[in-house]
Amino acid sequence: MAESKNPNQIVLSLISHTNVGKTALARTLLRKDVGEVRDSAHVTVVSEGYSLIEADGREALLWDTPGFGSNLAKLAKRLKSSKNPVGWILHQVWDRMKDTSLWCSQEAIRNISSDADVVLYLVDASQAPDTVGYVDLEMEILEWIGKPVLVFLNQTGRPNPERTASEENAWRDHLAKQPIVKSVATLDAFTRCWIQEHEVLERTGTVVEDKTKKKTATKLADAWKNRNVAVFDEAVSQISTLMAQSVCDSEKLTDKSMLEKVKGLIKTLTDRDPEFENVQKTMYARLAARTSTTINSLIELHGLDGETARKIAEHSQEEFAVRRDVEESIASALGGAASGLVVGISADLVHGGMTFGGGAALGAVLGGATTYALAKGYNLAQSDKNSVRWTENHFIQQLEFVLMLYLGVAHFGRGRGVWQDPENNPAHWEVCVHCLIEKNREAFVEIWKKAAPGKDDADKAQRRLEKVVRPLTVELLSKLYPAQKSVFE
Ligand SMILES: Nc1nc2c(ncn2[C@@H]2O[C@H](COP(=O)(O)OP(=O)(O)OP(=O)(O)O)[C@@H](O)[C@H]2O)c(=O)[nH]1
Ligand SMILES: [Mg+2]
């Protein structure tokens, strides 16, 4: 059957067995809540078309259609030898309430036959291809209609490259016998990354026959990429601003005599230092507020609703007083109650303090060294004679934490609903983010040094940070999605 008439328009129809996730994927791609999403058969009962993207007089339309029902598969079996099975189905009169399955199937078939240039057929990747018998029969119907089919795996769960590759291969093998299927890829309504989305239009450009339509699809794929990359650039800019504020943040200490400082240092062997307790609380409160504001802004920037709950939990104020032997990680600090907000005197300080406290080398703790040693147990570093700032390690860990949250936002599909903070992250994200941070550690330390009080202001630090954070994040997404890295070119 012919492609739609307007050569400047591309018409994509989302098709699948009912309840696989068409409406959820439409919401994710459109960045708005269209239709109804529910875990039940035949939730969508009429086809609806939406403008996916418009650019330079060209437009892509995305149709959300009712799902094929189980009765259709039975019907397809019966119609196999019929001369014009599609015509027969289209001319039947079924009752919408009594024969919902057939009524919905007919509505979807009508949409593909009369409107679609390309069919986006979704499969439920949580089920092995040979366990879902309806797929072969639905493919048979699509074959009768004759429009090119791009298969996308939905319901893949949390990103996992090995599992995704094996699921894609299983579906590719299973569908290899279907000439109408032009490609098999993954685009999960809940967990896709924005970097995968343009493939819908890019692949469409390779399968439509009309030359002008090919160009239309390719140009619209470019427009889609540009729009997503503009969002990416804005996200990088906001992350850099947040980190610049952190690297420039400092707190004044009260003037104390050297004797008081040394006494304070020795006292920390048994007690917490009240002044550093307060300074740290204030710095954490500011860090938590800034981080939440930025994450909320990233959530909105990515077309999502909701807010992060990731901030320093209120009861954590007390926990600062708990003595621990290890320096806390920023992830647990900002992670809230689950991981505990516990900051203690580092083993380092305890050992150093004991040596110094023994009196053997009291001179070594004079001057700035006392403030440094006192501050160290609190992830704070002396910034000038009488003020402290985050240590370079803590600052770098903050960035690691924020990049992990960024990945969460970049993968969260609107079809999943209101934003929820990730409970845990895919292990390969953690490894990738950590490696890239380590690779760029020197550059971050340099930025940290240059942002000491009296040197770079937050604007200057922001510009320096953006120059490192952007290529780092480009490399991060390119490593996670090697096939899509050309988005940044
Ligand atoms: N885990 C997971 N669940 C999904 C995904 N996409 C959709 N769902 C869930 O699957 C159920 C059906 O989603 P819908 O988008 O309503 O499915 P549909 O294909 O439009 O269904 P009909 O319109 O009834 O044919 C809902 O409970 C969704 O929350 C996904 O990518 N991952
Ligand atoms: Mg639906």
Side-chain angles (χ1 to χ4, degrees):
M1 281 183 205
E3 291 170 349
S4 68
K5 288 195 181 70
N6 181 349
N8 293 317
Q9 193 179 57
I10 289 290
V11 184
L12 306 166
S13 287
L14 276 169
I15 299 291
S16 74
H17 196 73
T18 185
N19 206 30
V20 169
K22 298 173 293 300
T23 310
L25 185 62
R27 287 181 172 195
T28 293
L29 292 173
L30 295 163
R31 314 275 192 269
K32 63 178 180 194
D33 288 350
V34 297
E36 193 184 344
V37 171
R38 199 157 32 86
D39 189 9
S40 176
H42 303 304
V43 172
T44 306
V45 286
V46 284
S47 301
E48 269 195 73
Y50 306 96
S51 179
L52 185 64
I53 188 162
E54 264 182 275
D56 303 325
R58 301 181 175 94
E59 187 181 30
L61 287 184
L62 182 70
W63 280 90
D64 180 23
T65 67
F68 288 153
S70 36
N71 285 352
L72 181 71
K74 286 183 208 150
L75 197 62
K77 252 186 213 168
R78 268 198 6 235
L79 291 176
K80 264 182 182 183
S81 53
S82 150
K83 267 202 185 128
N84 181 7
V86 175
W88 185 88
I89 293 171
L90 289 176
H91 284 97
Q92 293 308 299
V93 179
W94 283 302
D95 185 287
R96 180 168 160 171
M97 304 310 281
K98 271 207 310 224
D99 305 307
T100 314
S101 161
L102 289 170
W103 197 90
C104 284
S105 306
Q106 184 187 49
E107 177 80 2
I109 290 170
R110 186 172 293 136
N111 177 271
I112 311 166
S113 309
S114 62
D115 293 320
D117 290 317
V118 168
V119 171
L120 310 179
Y121 183 83
L122 303 191
V123 293
D124 177 352
S126 67
Q127 295 182 295
D130 45 11
T131 63
V132 272
Y134 59 75
V135 169
D136 290 352
L137 293 163
E138 289 173 3
M139 277 297 154
E140 206 141 338
I141 288 168
L142 294 177
E143 199 81 45
W144 295 336
I145 304 173
K147 304 274 173 93
V149 174
L150 304 176
V151 172
F152 288 100
L153 273 56
N154 197 40
Q155 314 230 13
T156 55
R158 282 199 327 157
N160 177 333
E162 283 97 46
R163 202 188 52 224
T164 299
S166 95
E167 282 168 357
E168 277 182 8
N169 284 337
W171 278 98
R172 222 168 264 136
D173 288 350
H174 185 82
L175 296 168
K177 56 185 183 283
Q178 311 285 357
I180 205 83
V181 173
K182 305 301 175 195
S183 75
V184 176
T186 297
L187 193 65
D188 188 279
F190 284 18
T191 60
R192 66 78 190 99
C193 182
W194 62 260
I195 202 173
Q196 299 173 284
E197 291 174 346
H198 66 274
E199 277 202 64
V200 169
L201 286 160
E202 214 163 66
R203 286 169 192 258
T204 296
T206 65
V207 298
V208 283
E209 281 174 7
D210 180 272
K211 270 197 183 140
T212 319
K213 272 201 187 272
K214 261 189 196 304
K215 193 168 172 193
T216 300
T218 311
K219 291 273 177 197
L220 290 171
D222 288 343
W224 191 276
K225 283 188 227 176
N226 292 341
R227 199 170 69 179
N228 274 350
V229 171
V231 169
F232 169 79
D233 285 337
E234 177 57 26
V236 166
S237 167
Q238 291 188 14
I239 291 169
S240 304
T241 301
L242 171 72
M243 296 314 300
Q245 287 164 345
S246 250
V247 81
C248 293
D249 197 13
S250 70
E251 268 290 305
K252 281 264 169 256
L253 300 171
T254 52
D255 283 330
K256 276 189 191 148
S257 71
M258 191 52 59
L259 186 63
E260 281 173 317
K261 281 186 182 175
V262 174
K263 275 186 183 165
L265 179 60
I266 293 166
K267 206 161 172 276
T268 56
L269 295 175
T270 51
D271 288 318
R272 304 284 289 171
D273 182 301
E275 180 172 25
F276 278 93
E277 296 284 339
N278 281 334
V279 165
Q280 193 186 52
K281 260 188 229 170
T282 311
M283 300 259 307
Y284 264 123
R286 281 204 294 265
L287 172 63
R290 282 195 307 266
T291 309
S292 303
T293 306
T294 304
I295 299 303
N296 288 341
S297 173
L298 292 178
I299 289 169
E300 198 185 334
L301 181 66
H302 287 76
L304 302 169
D305 286 340
E307 293 196 342
T308 179
R310 282 219 153 178
K311 53 180 85 160
I312 294 178
E314 271 157 33
H315 71 272
S316 67
Q317 303 287 332
E318 285 174 43
E319 291 179 30
F320 276 127
V322 177
R323 192 179 157 131
R324 287 265 300 263
D325 284 335
V326 285
E327 220 176 283
E328 58 140 14
S329 78
I330 182 66
S332 63
L334 288 172
S339 39
L341 272 166
V342 182
V343 179
I345 298 168
S346 70
D348 237 19
L349 175 64
V350 172
H351 292 310
M354 277 176 183
T355 320
F356 296 139
L362 195 60
V365 297
L366 298 181
T370 34
T371 312
Y372 172 74
L374 279 166
K376 200 168 176 230
Y378 296 89
N379 289 319
L380 299 171
Q382 184 183 11
S383 67
D384 61 19
K385 214 167 152 212
N386 226 15
S387 70
V388 285
R389 58 193 294 225
W390 293 118
T391 58
E392 66 220 61
N393 264 340
H394 199 266
F395 160 65
I396 290 169
Q397 283 182 42
Q398 287 172 27
L399 176 60
E400 199 162 331
F401 175 83
V402 171
L403 285 177
M404 289 302 297
L405 270 178
Y406 166 71
L407 283 183
V409 176
H411 285 79
F412 198 99
R414 192 180 171 94
R416 194 177 152 191
V418 170
W419 166 262
Q420 293 156 34
D421 291 306
E423 275 170 22
N424 42 36
N425 292 305
H428 69 291
W429 288 8
E430 307 239 2
V431 172
C432 238
V433 168
H434 189 70
C435 285
L436 287 170
I437 293 264
E438 286 309 309
K439 194 173 148 190
N440 289 279
R441 177 170 280 272
E442 260 177 48
F444 290 123
V445 171
E446 204 47 35
I447 290 169
W448 182 84
K449 283 183 186 157
K450 286 190 169 134
K455 295 187 178 172
D456 281 1
D457 60 17
D459 281 348
K460 214 163 175 191
Q462 200 274 355
R463 287 194 292 278
R464 283 190 207 281
L465 273 158
E466 205 166 325
K467 280 193 192 137
V468 187
V469 173
R470 191 181 191 277
L472 183 157
T473 318
V474 166
E475 195 175 346
L476 172 63
L477 289 175
S478 306
K479 272 189 190 310
L480 295 178
Y481 298 96
Q484 282 86 13
K485 65 181 179 191
S486 64
V487 164
F488 296 110
E489 280 159 15

